[in-house]
Amino acid sequence: MMILLLLGGVCSVVFKKLKMPAIIGYLVTGIILANYWSGESPETLDIVDFLSTLGLVLMMFCIGMELNLKKIRKSGSFAIMVMMIQVPLMLFGGYLFGMILGLTSLQSIIFGAIISGSSTAVVTTVLAEQDRLTRAEVDTIVLITVIEDVAQVIILSAVSPMLVGDSMSFESIVWMMLTIIVFMVASM
C-alpha cells in the first residue's frame, strides 16, 4: 500500500509539473505496478481488488454528487440530444474501423460501444483541475458523459449475451431498458 501511494504521489507530481493533469500520473502508476510489480500474493491481490472496488464506488459517488436535479432539468434535453447524435456516430465509426482492422462483427460492435463514450471520471477531474470553463459548461459536460455512460451500459448489456453464443432477444433489451429507466426515475 505504501509503495502504491508513494509511486502514485510521485507520478502525479511529475505530471503536474509537466503541466499535465495529475490523473495521468495515476494512470502511469497503474501501468507501472501492473507490469513491473512482483509482490503478487493471494492476499495482496485481494487487497488490491478491494481497494479498486472501493475506489470505483467512491469515484461514482463523487460524480453523482456533481449532478443536481435542477441542472438536469435545465440542460438535460441538450445533453440527451448530444448523446443521441454522438453515440450512434461513434458506434458506427468504431464498427467500421473494427471491420477495417479485421475484427468480427461482434467485436467491432463492442469496439464501437467502448469508444462511444468518454470517461466521466477523467473528464470531471481534468475539468476541475484546469478551471477553464464556467460552472454551467462543466455541469453540462459532466451530464453528457454520465448519459454516455448509461448508453454504453445499455449497448454492452445488449450485446453481452452474444459473447457466449446466445442470440439477442428484443424483449430482453426492452425489459433491460425499462428497468434502467425505472431505476433512474426512482433514484431521482
Side-chain angles (χ1 to χ4, degrees), residues 92-137:
F92 182 70
Y95 178 80
L96 286 179
F97 191 68
M99 295 304 284
I100 290 170
L101 290 175
L103 301 175
T104 66
S105 291
L106 180 60
Q107 291 169 335
S108 297
I109 290 170
I110 292 172
F111 179 69
I114 290 169
I115 66 167
S116 69
S118 307
S119 170
T120 305
V122 172
V123 169
T124 305
T125 304
V126 171
L127 289 175
E129 285 182 9
Q130 292 189 351
D131 197 32
R132 292 184 182 173
L133 301 174
T134 66
R135 186 67 198 165
E137 292 169 332

Side-chain angles (χ1 to χ4, degrees), residues 63-83:
I63 291 169
M65 292 295 291
E66 291 287 323
L67 297 176
N68 184 329
L69 288 178
K70 291 178 185 173
K71 295 173 189 171
I72 291 174
R73 282 189 212 119
K74 181 180 173 188
S75 58
S77 59
F78 174 74
I80 290 172
M81 184 177 62
V82 168
M83 185 273 309

Side-chain angles (χ1 to χ4, degrees), residues 24-40:
I24 295 175
Y26 300 136
L27 291 172
V28 169
T29 301
I31 292 168
I32 291 170
L33 289 176
N35 290 294
Y36 300 108
W37 185 37
S38 62
E40 289 186 20

Side-chain angles (χ1 to χ4, degrees), residues 37-174:
W37 185 37
S38 62
E40 289 186 20
S41 68
E43 297 84 20
T44 306
L45 292 176
D46 288 342
I47 292 170
V48 170
D49 184 53
F50 170 75
L51 291 175
S52 67
T53 304
L54 180 63
L56 181 63
V57 168
L58 292 173
M59 178 185 68
M60 297 307 287
F61 177 75
C62 290
I63 291 169
M65 292 295 291
E66 291 287 323
L67 297 176
N68 184 329
L69 288 178
K70 291 178 185 173
K71 295 173 189 171
I72 291 174
R73 282 189 212 119
K74 181 180 173 188
S75 58
S77 59
F78 174 74
I80 290 172
M81 184 177 62
V82 168
M83 185 273 309
M84 290 181 75
I85 294 170
Q86 185 260 336
V87 170
L89 284 176
M90 292 302 294
L91 189 62
F92 182 70
Y95 178 80
L96 286 179
F97 191 68
M99 295 304 284
I100 290 170
L101 290 175
L103 301 175
T104 66
S105 291
L106 180 60
Q107 291 169 335
S108 297
I109 290 170
I110 292 172
F111 179 69
I114 290 169
I115 66 167
S116 69
S118 307
S119 170
T120 305
V122 172
V123 169
T124 305
T125 304
V126 171
L127 289 175
E129 285 182 9
Q130 292 189 351
D131 197 32
R132 292 184 182 173
L133 301 174
T134 66
R135 186 67 198 165
E137 292 169 332
V138 170
D139 290 340
T140 302
I141 291 171
V142 169
L143 183 58
I144 290 170
T145 60
V146 167
I147 292 173
E148 286 175 352
D149 288 347
V150 172
Q152 283 179 311
V153 167
I154 291 170
I155 294 166
L156 293 173
S157 296
V159 298
S160 63
M162 296 170 69
L163 293 173
V164 292
D166 292 342
S167 63
M168 189 168 57
S169 72
F170 180 74
E171 294 83 20
S172 64
I173 294 172
V174 170

